[in-house]
């Protein structure tokens, strides 16, 4: 009986295993068929939308939308929308909204792709190529309070070129002009002019926005102002900027561009803080840190003239950490003599190393577009499309010396893999009604570690080393409770975002529930997950 029983048991077990395998194959097939049917259904529904532009499912297009300047994160979208009108964007977002919370489809607006950590990507969703947006031509308006109307997909360099035809220019810039208007206004837009005019978001008069429900809304300080301030610095969470009205000022023709060196950090910061409040001083003030770059001064000779060539040639850094103060004074040709006198007067009050003053004169557009010149050189050497593990921090003035002692003294060993910017800005030039978070002090510093990683390197120029260095810097800031805020921030959890926004978190969350209640927009920021139920 036993001999008969065991073969029978084995046979039943084999039948059960075979049944389970068949069932799993059938289940997976059903899921695949359903998924493919669902994807086909979504593709069909998108292609059926009444738009002037087009949805691209081309693999190359999807690959391009899945990468950015940071060159570290890749999230492939389902499709890329190339809009020709604002209506194209509104119709698309409204369609995704109409699918309701059961759909996982999300939407990301992508400008020039200069994000660092996938912020403009949408995994399995729709990426909108904002540079395809064709609205009215850039329109410049003169008068006592001049302004320009532009598309959210226009590059700032194109805005500059157009406004210069009328002798005008925007007041505030970023260091790199080949970025879209909507992209920088979604963050803040900071450069060496921010001490005087504030960031770019402090120089906006009006915007047209497509909200997370597909509604097209005009907003300004007086019209729909809650949306206006939400979107400025809002990381794309509340709406897509399709048009913007930007303040202008008379544009200069020339720029006197100066660099001086310091070995004393206290003198360096004291002079910077003095200059940002000085009358008729400089129009642009930035600084950067130099470590183990003994040949840098000689490299400057290619573009800058030392005031005293003999003394400059004798200058030795001796391995010290140096701090460069970079200044610019705008002028027109007929003002040259007067401007030279003003520059000399202000320089005479500074405490830089006297043998290290370098200066040159360039056109206004060449000065503003200076980073693009470097980009062209780096592209020719294949050094542009590499990982860029940047770290940008706002640091309270009261903590900047502690930060410098530890970070520049112990953590950062060299600056050969990219510049480290450091300069002060006035809190009074920032509007606290916007979504940006900044330190709670009258003066705070932007410190930007703008490293480029060499993929094949395992040393100080390698990606892992730079990321480890960034981590040590952030851990130090948190451990010492310096009150630092990240700019172009990136966090992994909503709890970290909540800490980042601090007292602003509740209003940030409430604004999200009003303007993008299904969390359709800007999923790459990682702040909200789609279909989260928001409390009002």
């Amino acid at each position: 009986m036993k001999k008969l029983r065991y073969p029978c048991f084995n046979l039943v077990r084999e039948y059960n295993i075979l049944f389970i395998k068949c069932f799993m194959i059938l289940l997976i097939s059903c899921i695949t068929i359903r998924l493919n049917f669902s994807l086909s259904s979504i593709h069909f529904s998108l292609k059926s939308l009444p738009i002037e532009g087009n949805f691209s499912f081309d693999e190359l297009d999807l690959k391009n939308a899945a990468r950015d300047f940071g060159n570290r994160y890749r999230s492939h979208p389902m499709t890329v929308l190339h809009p020709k009108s604002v209506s194209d964007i509104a119709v698309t977002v409204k369609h995704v909204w109409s699918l309701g919370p059961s759909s996982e489809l999300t939407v990301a607006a992508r400008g020039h792709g200069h994000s660092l950590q996938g912020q403009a990507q949408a995994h399995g969703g729709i990426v909108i190529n904002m540079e395809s947006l064709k609205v009215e031509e850039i329109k410049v308006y003169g008068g006592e309070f001049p302004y320009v109307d532009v598309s959210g997909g226009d590059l700032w360099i194109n805005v500059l070129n157009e406004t210069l035809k009328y002798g005008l220019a925007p007041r505030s810039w970023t260091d790199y002009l080949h970025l879209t208007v909507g992209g920088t206004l979604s963050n803040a837009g900071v450069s060496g002019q921010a001490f005087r005019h504030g960031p770019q978001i402090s120089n906006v008069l009006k915007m047209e926005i497509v909200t997370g429900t597909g509604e097209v809304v005009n907003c300004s300080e007086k019209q729909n102002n809650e949306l206006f301030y939400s979107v400025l610095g809002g990381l794309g969470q509340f709406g897509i900027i399709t048009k913007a009205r930007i303040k202008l000022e008379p544009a200069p023709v020339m720029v006197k561009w100066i660099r001086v060196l310091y070995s004393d950090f206290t003198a360096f910061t004291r002079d910077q803080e003095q200059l940002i409040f000085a009358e008729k001083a400089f129009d642009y003030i930035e600084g950067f840190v130099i470590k183990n770059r003994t040949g840098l001064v000689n490299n400057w000779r290619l573009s800058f003239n030392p005031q005293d060539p003999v003394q400059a040639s004798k200058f030795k850094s001796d391995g010290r950490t140096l701090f460069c103060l970079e200044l610019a004074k705008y002028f027109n040709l007929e003002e040259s003599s007067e401007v030279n006198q003003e520059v000399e007067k202000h320089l005479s009050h500074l405490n830089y190393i006297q043998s290290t003053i370098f200066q040159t004169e360039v056109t206004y557009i060449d000065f503003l577009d200076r980073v693009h010149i470097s980009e062209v050189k780096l592209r020719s050497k294949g050094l542009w499309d590499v990982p860029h593990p940047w770290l940008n921090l706002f640091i309270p003035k009261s903590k900047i010396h502690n930060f410098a002692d530890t970070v520049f003294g112990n953590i950062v060993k060299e600056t050969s893999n990219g510049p480290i910017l450091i300069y002060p800005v006035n809190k009074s030039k920032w509007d606290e009604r916007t979504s940006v978070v900044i330190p709670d002090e009258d003066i705070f510093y932007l410190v930007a570690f703008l490293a480029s990683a060499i993929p094949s390197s395992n040393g100080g120029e390698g990606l892992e080393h730079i990321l480890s260095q960034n981590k040590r810097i952030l851990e130090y800031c948190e451990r010492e409770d310096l009150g630092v805020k990240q700019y172009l921030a990136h966090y992994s959890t909503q709890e970290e975002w909540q800490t980042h926004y601090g007292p602003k978190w509740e209003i940030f969350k409430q604004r999200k529930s009003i303007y993008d209640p299904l969390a359709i927009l800007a999923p790459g920021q990682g702040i909200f997950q789609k279909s989260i139920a928001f409390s009002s």
Side-chain angles (χ1 to χ4, degrees):
M1 292 291 291
K2 288 182 181 178
K3 288 182 181 177
L4 290 171
R5 206 173 289 156
Y6 285 116
C8 186
F9 175 77
N10 288 336
L11 191 61
V12 171
R13 187 176 65 178
E14 288 177 11
Y15 276 130
N16 286 341
I17 292 172
L18 183 61
F19 175 78
I20 291 170
K21 284 183 177 178
C22 291
F23 177 77
M24 291 303 296
I25 291 171
L26 183 62
L27 181 63
I28 292 170
S29 298
C30 288
I31 292 172
T32 303
I33 291 169
R34 185 174 179 179
L35 183 62
N36 288 338
F37 177 77
S38 177
L39 290 175
S40 298
S41 175
I42 292 172
H43 286 193
F44 178 77
S45 68
L46 291 175
K47 289 179 179 178
S48 301
L49 293 178
I51 62 172
E52 298 174 55
N54 67 88
F55 287 99
S56 171
F57 298 90
D58 178 73
E59 188 60 32
L60 182 59
D61 229 6
L62 301 183
K63 281 184 178 179
N64 287 336
R67 64 187 300 275
D68 55 27
F69 179 70
N71 211 7
R72 292 173 53 216
Y73 294 79
R74 282 175 172 78
S75 292
H76 279 72
M78 174 191 292
T79 184
V80 176
L81 170 64
H82 297 282
K84 286 187 177 179
S85 66
V86 174
S87 175
D88 287 358
I89 297 173
V91 166
T92 300
V93 175
K94 184 169 286 187
H95 174 71
V96 176
W97 158 256
S98 70
L99 296 176
S102 61
S103 166
E104 295 182 1
L105 211 57
T106 55
V107 178
R110 185 180 192 270
H112 203 54
H114 210 74
S115 298
L116 298 174
Q117 293 162 313
Q119 288 96 333
Q121 297 173 17
H123 179 70
I126 302 170
V127 168
I128 300 176
N129 177 15
M130 295 301 293
E131 289 188 89
S132 295
L133 181 61
K134 303 299 180 187
V135 294
E136 298 92 342
E137 295 294 318
I138 296 172
K139 290 185 177 179
V140 180
Y141 299 84
E144 186 179 357
F145 302 104
Y147 61 86
V148 59
D149 285 338
V150 298
S151 163
D154 279 325
L155 296 180
W156 283 104
I157 182 64
N158 296 336
V159 175
L160 174 62
N161 285 326
E162 186 63 27
T163 57
L164 284 178
K165 295 176 183 177
Y166 300 83
L168 298 166
R171 309 194 305 172
S172 188
W173 298 99
T174 54
D175 286 328
Y176 182 60
L177 303 189
H178 294 251
L179 305 171
T180 59
V181 170
T184 65
L185 297 185
S186 294
N187 288 281
V190 188
S191 184
Q193 300 90 356
F195 76 93
R196 174 165 294 171
H197 297 296
Q200 289 182 314
I201 59 172
S202 293
N203 294 275
V204 181
L205 295 170
K206 183 179 179 181
M207 291 183 293
E208 179 187 75
I209 306 297
V210 175
T211 69
T213 60
E215 185 180 3
V216 181
V217 183
N218 287 306
C219 57
S220 65
E221 186 177 7
K222 296 180 179 179
Q223 179 187 16
N224 298 310
N225 65 348
E226 184 74 15
L227 177 61
F228 180 72
Y229 292 115
S230 298
V231 169
L232 292 172
L235 305 180
Q237 293 299 305
F238 312 106
I240 297 170
I241 300 171
T242 51
K243 296 179 188 175
R245 177 167 291 177
I246 310 295
K247 293 179 184 178
L248 301 178
E249 66 177 359
V253 175
M254 298 295 293
V255 175
K256 184 174 284 293
W257 190 3
I258 300 162
R259 287 177 177 172
V260 293
L261 289 176
Y262 293 74
S263 58
D264 184 301
F265 186 72
T266 299
F268 171 68
T269 53
R270 185 174 57 238
D271 282 357
Q272 280 191 313
E273 290 166 19
Q274 171 188 317
L275 286 173
I276 66 173
F277 291 107
E279 292 291 328
K280 291 187 176 181
F282 296 95
D283 299 288
Y284 161 99
I285 298 171
E286 286 194 9
F288 54 93
V289 183
I290 304 167
K291 294 198 69 162
N292 299 327
R293 298 287 299 278
T294 54
L296 188 65
V297 169
N298 285 329
N299 290 340
W300 286 355
R301 292 172 186 270
L302 298 174
S303 306
F304 291 80
N305 303 312
Q307 187 163 296
D308 187 335
V310 175
Q311 288 297 314
S313 65
K314 294 178 181 178
F315 175 75
K316 304 292 181 199
S317 68
D318 299 323
R320 292 173 291 173
T321 298
L322 298 173
F323 306 95
C324 173
L325 177 58
E326 187 170 47
L327 308 165
K329 181 70 174 175
Y330 305 157
F331 68 99
N332 295 316
L333 294 175
E334 65 273 14
E335 304 167 329
S336 183
S337 177
E338 180 186 346
V339 165
N340 284 335
Q341 291 176 14
E342 288 179 358
V343 166
E344 288 302 318
K345 180 185 75 172
H346 288 291
L347 288 176
S348 69
H349 297 147
L350 305 182
N351 295 289
Y352 57 88
I353 301 169
Q354 291 299 310
S355 61
T356 65
I357 179 167
F358 286 72
Q359 52 190 330
T360 189
E361 291 184 3
V362 296
T363 64
Y364 181 58
I365 192 167
D366 282 346
F367 173 73
L368 290 180
D369 202 29
R370 62 198 179 280
V371 176
H372 183 60
I373 297 170
S374 300
E375 176 192 348
V376 172
K377 292 178 182 177
L378 289 170
R379 282 191 183 278
S380 68
K381 299 176 182 178
L383 296 175
W384 184 257
D385 294 321
V386 298
H388 295 97
W390 287 6
L391 177 64
N392 297 270
L393 305 172
F394 290 143
I395 301 175
K397 171 190 168 182
S398 64
K399 304 295 184 181
I400 194 64
H401 289 272
N402 295 353
F403 180 90
D405 287 345
T406 298
V407 175
F408 305 141
N410 299 318
I411 298 178
V412 177
K413 303 300 181 184
E414 58 182 84
T415 56
S416 60
N417 54 13
I420 299 175
L421 304 184
I422 176 168
Y423 55 90
V425 289
N426 303 328
K427 183 182 178 183
S428 64
K429 303 296 182 179
W430 296 62
D431 195 318
E432 294 192 68
R433 292 172 291 183
T434 68
S435 292
V436 173
V437 284
I438 55 178
D440 191 21
E441 290 191 9
D442 291 340
I443 297 175
F444 58 92
Y445 278 77
L446 171 71
V447 181
F449 300 85
L450 308 181
S452 297
I454 298 177
S456 59
S457 174
N458 293 319
E461 295 181 336
L463 178 60
E464 292 307 315
H465 173 83
I466 298 169
L467 290 174
S468 175
Q469 179 177 281
N470 289 350
K471 183 180 178 183
R472 289 180 63 196
I473 293 169
L474 290 172
E475 287 175 345
Y476 161 72
C477 292
E478 185 175 353
R479 185 172 63 249
E480 297 300 317
D481 194 22
L482 298 186
V484 169
K485 292 296 181 184
Q486 282 194 48
Y487 177 56
L488 308 177
H490 175 73
Y491 297 104
S492 303
T493 67
Q494 193 176 85
E495 289 73 25
E496 290 173 315
W497 280 108
Q498 188 170 346
T499 300
H500 171 75
Y501 281 102
K504 274 192 168 185
W505 172 250
E506 287 304 319
I507 190 170
F508 190 87
K509 189 171 70 168
Q510 185 180 24
R511 286 170 167 179
K512 183 71 170 178
S513 70
I514 296 170
Y515 301 115
D516 183 24
L518 293 184
I520 288 169
L521 302 176
Q525 294 285 356
I527 305 175
F528 300 100
Q529 296 296 318
K530 187 175 180 185
S531 304
I532 285 179
F534 292 99
S535 57
S536 59

